[in-house]
Amino acid sequence: MTAVGVAAGGVVVADDVEFTAYVGTHLPRLRRLALLLCGDGHRADDVVQQAITRLYAHWRKANAADDRDAYVRAVLVRAFLNEHRRRWRLVRLVGYPAELPHRPSGRPDPETREVVWAALRRLPPRTRAVLVLRFVADRPVAEVASALRCSESNVKTLTARGLAAMRLMLGGAES
C-alpha cells in the first residue's frame, strides 16, 4: 500500500482512493442492478451497501480480476441472494409497493412496466437474478454462471423456466 496523503482519521492509501473513485463512478449502475433484483429501493440500498462492504474487504482481489466490473456484479448478486435467505426480511414495516403512493417515473407505459416488475418479483431469487443479468444487464451466460456459481446449463435452464413463468403470469402463451 502506498500512502497518498494524510486524512483526519489516519493515512489515506492508494487502494482507498482507487476504491472510492470506482464506487463513486459505478454506484448508480450498482443501485440500478440491485433495484432490478430486489424490486424495492430500500432493500436495493441494503444490498448495495453489503456488496460495497464486501468489495472493500476484497478490493485487491477485485483489482486482480480479469474483469473488475464482472467481479463486482457477482459480489452484488451474491449479496442479493444472501440477503434474500435471511429470515428478518419477512418482517414488513411498511405496505407493499401497491399500497404505497405511486410517483410518476417519466418512462413510457408505466402500467406495463409495473405489471412486468410485479411478475418478476414473484419469481424465485435465483431465477430473477438470471433474468435481470441476462436481459437487463445484457450479460453473457458464462458471466451469469460465474456470478451465481453454477453451470452454464443451469443458467440456460433457469432462463427458460423464468421466461416461461413470466409468460404465464403475463397472460401469454407458454412456449
Side-chain angles (χ1 to χ4, degrees):
M1 285 197 218
T2 308
V4 171
V6 178
V11 176
V12 177
V13 293
D15 283 348
D16 289 347
V17 172
E18 188 178 359
F19 171 81
T20 303
Y22 180 85
V23 170
T25 302
H26 292 82
L27 189 59
R29 198 171 359 158
L30 293 173
R31 187 172 189 291
R32 179 175 178 262
L33 181 59
L35 185 58
L36 293 170
L37 291 169
C38 298
D40 173 7
H42 298 293
R43 282 186 59 214
D45 289 340
D46 290 344
V47 168
V48 169
Q49 183 61 44
Q50 289 171 10
I52 289 172
T53 301
R54 289 185 185 135
L55 181 62
Y56 182 78
H58 301 284
W59 183 243
R60 288 186 176 199
K61 188 174 179 182
N63 269 338
D66 291 335
D67 185 350
R68 182 172 34 185
D69 291 339
Y71 182 93
V72 173
R73 274 190 299 275
V75 169
L76 182 75
V77 169
R78 289 178 191 139
F80 161 71
L81 292 172
N82 289 338
E83 187 270 341
H84 198 278
R85 291 181 189 118
R86 292 193 178 114
R87 299 285 300 158
W88 65 264
R89 76 169 184 82
L90 299 175
V91 176
R92 198 175 98 172
L93 301 177
V94 297
Y96 286 114
E99 299 168 338
L100 298 174
H102 187 305
R103 62 174 205 215
S105 64
R107 293 187 181 180
D109 202 6
E111 293 84 16
T112 301
R113 194 178 76 244
E114 280 301 315
V115 169
V116 171
W117 288 126
L120 190 63
R121 284 190 297 267
R122 290 175 55 198
L123 294 174
R126 284 182 74 81
T127 304
R128 185 182 334 151
V130 166
L131 293 181
V132 167
L133 288 172
R134 289 285 292 127
F135 299 109
V136 179
D138 197 28
R139 305 317 313 160
V141 172
E143 183 180 319
V144 175
S146 174
L148 296 176
R149 293 183 177 147
C150 66
S151 68
E152 290 183 22
S153 62
N154 191 16
V155 169
K156 292 174 185 178
T157 300
L158 287 171
T159 300
R161 289 179 183 166
L163 290 175
M166 291 285 290
R167 283 186 199 101
L168 283 176
M169 285 187 265
L170 297 174
E174 185 177 3
S175 33

